[in-house]
Amino acid sequence: MATDYGQDYGFASGSGFPGDAGAPRNHRLPAGVRAPFEARSWREFGYVLLGLPIGVLLFTYAVTMVSLGAGLLVTFLGVPVLAATLAGCRGFGAMERVRARALLGLQVADPEPVRRKKQGAMGWMGATLKSGTSWRSLLYAVLQFPWSVFSFVVAVNFWAVGWAMLTYPLWFWVFPMYAGQDGLQLYGDETHRVYLDNPFEITLTALVGLLFTLATPWIIRALTTVDRLMVHGLLGPSRLATRVVELESDRGVVVDTAAADLRRIERDLHDGAQARLVNLAMDLGLAKEKLREDPQAAAIMVDEAHGEVKTALQELRDLARGIHPAVLTDRGLDAALSAVASRCTVPVRVEVDLVERPASAIEGIAYFTVSELLQNVSKHARATSAAVEVWRVEDRLMLQIVDNGMGGADVSAGSGLAGLAERLGAVDGILVVDSPAGGPTRVTAELPWRSELATK
């Protein structure tokens, strides 16, 4: 629940403006001119240069060991050789992830480990041969070689030709005649020779070299993009393993959220309605004792107890509404969200465009998402109006809450919005916050659509 707008709407300490700690640097030169001198370009060039010898090593190892293992399959020796080959490819894959992380800044998680069902050498060999990660590492070792040859040739030639032509005026000035030649020879046969030896040709050569030099970092960046895809796709965790990790994390969020809700309900019951009911029982007991001695005092005590009953009933209604409101079950999102909007301190326009009702679980999450966001608007947004829109797009339920408050919301700042995003993520939902400083704030939530009829 919201306690502070700056926390629940996730204000960040750095706004990204110049002078902030996390603000991006402002460069006077455009990116195209800076690229040949940036450290990133040289790191990517170094990655391409290292790629060729590493590619030769990986390809030689993979082809040799696989050929040896396949040839020995007529005997039992082929199985351990192939298992050792795949294990070695996994080791090379770990090395390549480190190289990509150091030179390309590519963060790739380690793939799932080999899970053996049986202990011993046979269990390890069987698990290694069945592991998809092992075979993807082998495929990387085979494919990386031809690509590294191509990228090496392209990068080195463009880089060498570009800098050579760009610095040609300097070399011509230092060596106006080298080895009996008048300049850089472009063409020559038995009868004709063409040299770059006059100011116009030298200047034109330098300009062409400048174009090559400026274009080379971007060409290398395009080449390393393919390397990024190969490392991420073949040496990282598989989609299935990533999905399993996400589901395990989402399950943890659901369990933690359910436990927190149970604790909240227990605390609200203990501190609210339960305490009032205990006091009510005590007051009624005292009134019973006073009934014969002092009927007037007993009547006053019964009247006070009647007021306590009303208060306890109201608290129980509020608690039940916090668990799952009856209006949501009986009449759906339109009526339930209208009831929430009526309790907001600012005028709220509600539009629900749904032909059918979603599944009750999705409907409940949508209700509490809008409810929590409207509480933030009501308490902390300093808004004068708000709007709630709900509609369906194919297999997604869309929620959008807009207010004209002060803005500045940031879901990445570790706040109530971050907790709400985690709850939505637990059911494959998405929370997107657009809240520039000064407003307006636009929060869009997506939930998977499951029909109520399909769940029955």
Side-chain angles (χ1 to χ4, degrees):
M1 305 302 289
T3 56
D4 180 76
Y5 189 81
Q7 294 179 354
D8 281 277
Y9 265 41
F11 283 119
S13 57
S15 60
F17 292 102
D20 288 349
R25 294 180 58 187
N26 292 325
H27 298 277
R28 295 181 179 179
L29 296 176
V33 179
R34 296 195 317 268
F37 309 99
E38 288 183 332
R40 174 182 175 180
S41 299
W42 289 97
R43 287 195 301 268
E44 292 174 339
F45 185 50
Y47 184 89
V48 173
L49 293 181
L50 287 175
L52 181 59
I54 291 177
V56 173
L57 174 63
L58 293 182
F59 185 82
T60 303
Y61 170 82
V63 172
T64 302
M65 295 299 292
V66 169
S67 300
L68 178 62
L72 292 174
L73 279 178
V74 294
T75 66
F76 180 75
L77 293 177
V79 176
V81 169
L82 286 178
T85 301
L86 295 178
C89 289
R90 289 179 69 105
F92 284 123
M95 178 191 69
E96 285 294 271
R97 288 193 298 273
V98 172
R99 183 167 72 102
R101 187 180 304 116
L103 297 179
L104 299 182
L106 179 63
Q107 300 295 331
V108 179
D110 294 337
E112 60 275 12
V114 176
R115 303 183 184 274
R116 63 175 81 179
K117 296 181 180 180
K118 299 179 181 179
Q119 297 300 323
M122 294 298 297
W124 174 80
M125 285 188 291
T128 302
L129 292 172
K130 292 178 181 178
S131 172
T133 301
S134 302
W135 291 101
R136 285 190 283 114
S137 299
L138 175 63
L139 180 61
Y140 176 86
V142 174
L143 294 180
Q144 198 268 346
F145 171 67
W147 175 251
S148 65
V149 172
F150 174 78
S151 58
F152 181 90
V153 171
V154 172
V156 170
N157 277 279
F158 269 86
W159 201 277
V161 170
W163 282 102
M165 296 180 70
L166 178 62
T167 58
Y168 179 66
L170 175 63
W171 295 107
F172 186 81
W173 176 69
V174 175
F175 303 105
M177 181 174 291
Y178 180 74
Q181 304 296 332
D182 295 330
L184 180 66
Q185 181 176 338
L186 288 184
Y187 173 78
D189 56 21
E190 296 180 356
T191 57
H192 297 86
R193 290 178 177 84
V194 179
Y195 296 94
L196 299 176
D197 55 2
N198 62 69
F200 173 76
E201 294 174 345
I202 294 172
T203 302
L204 183 62
T205 301
L207 291 177
V208 174
L210 178 61
L211 294 178
F212 270 78
T213 302
L214 295 179
T216 299
W218 302 101
I219 295 174
I220 294 177
R221 195 157 299 175
L223 295 173
T224 55
T225 298
V226 178
D227 290 287
R228 293 172 190 269
L229 295 174
M230 290 176 59
V231 172
H232 188 275
L234 297 178
L235 301 182
S238 64
R239 292 185 178 181
L240 178 59
T242 303
R243 184 57 178 161
V244 169
V245 172
E246 291 177 354
L247 291 176
E248 290 178 349
S249 176
D250 293 343
R251 182 182 61 184
V253 172
V254 171
V255 171
D256 293 341
T257 301
D261 289 339
L262 287 175
R263 290 193 299 268
R264 176 182 59 82
I265 294 171
E266 181 181 5
R267 183 180 63 251
D268 291 345
L269 282 173
H270 183 271
D271 298 340
Q274 182 179 351
R276 291 189 180 277
L277 291 175
V278 171
N279 292 332
L280 175 61
M282 295 175 60
D283 291 342
L284 289 176
L286 292 175
K288 182 179 180 181
E289 294 178 359
K290 290 278 188 180
L291 184 60
R292 294 180 180 179
E293 300 176 1
D294 190 354
Q296 186 175 0
I300 295 175
M301 296 177 68
V302 171
D303 186 61
E304 292 176 353
H306 184 257
E308 287 291 323
V309 170
K310 291 182 178 180
T311 304
L313 286 174
Q314 183 60 41
E315 290 182 354
L316 287 174
R317 290 193 190 97
D318 294 338
L319 183 60
R321 186 184 298 115
I323 299 173
H324 196 85
V327 65
L328 178 61
T329 303
D330 298 337
R331 301 174 57 189
L333 273 176
D334 196 352
L337 295 183
S338 298
V340 172
S342 66
R343 296 193 296 269
C344 191
T345 58
V346 301
V348 179
R349 175 176 56 85
V350 178
E351 292 186 8
V352 179
D353 183 13
L354 296 177
V355 178
E356 60 178 322
R357 294 179 62 173
S360 57
I362 300 299
E363 196 174 52
I365 295 173
Y367 170 83
F368 288 112
T369 299
V370 175
S371 178
E372 186 166 343
L373 291 173
L374 286 183
Q375 285 186 32
N376 286 332
V377 172
S378 179
K379 294 180 180 179
H380 311 289
R382 301 179 186 175
T384 58
S385 65
V388 176
E389 297 180 359
V390 181
W391 70 99
R392 176 184 177 183
V393 178
E394 296 180 353
D395 61 344
R396 307 292 287 180
L397 177 63
M398 309 295 297
L399 314 172
Q400 185 169 268
I401 298 88
V402 182
D403 70 77
N404 61 351
M406 62 182 184
D410 184 7
V411 74
S412 64
S415 61
L417 280 178
L420 189 59
E422 289 181 355
R423 292 190 181 189
L424 293 178
V427 292
D428 287 337
I430 301 173
L431 186 73
V432 180
V433 179
D434 180 17
S435 181
T441 295
R442 184 184 303 273
V443 182
T444 304
E446 293 186 20
L447 289 168
W449 176 273
R450 290 197 294 272
S451 176
E452 182 69 26
L453 297 177
T455 59
K456 294 182 179 180

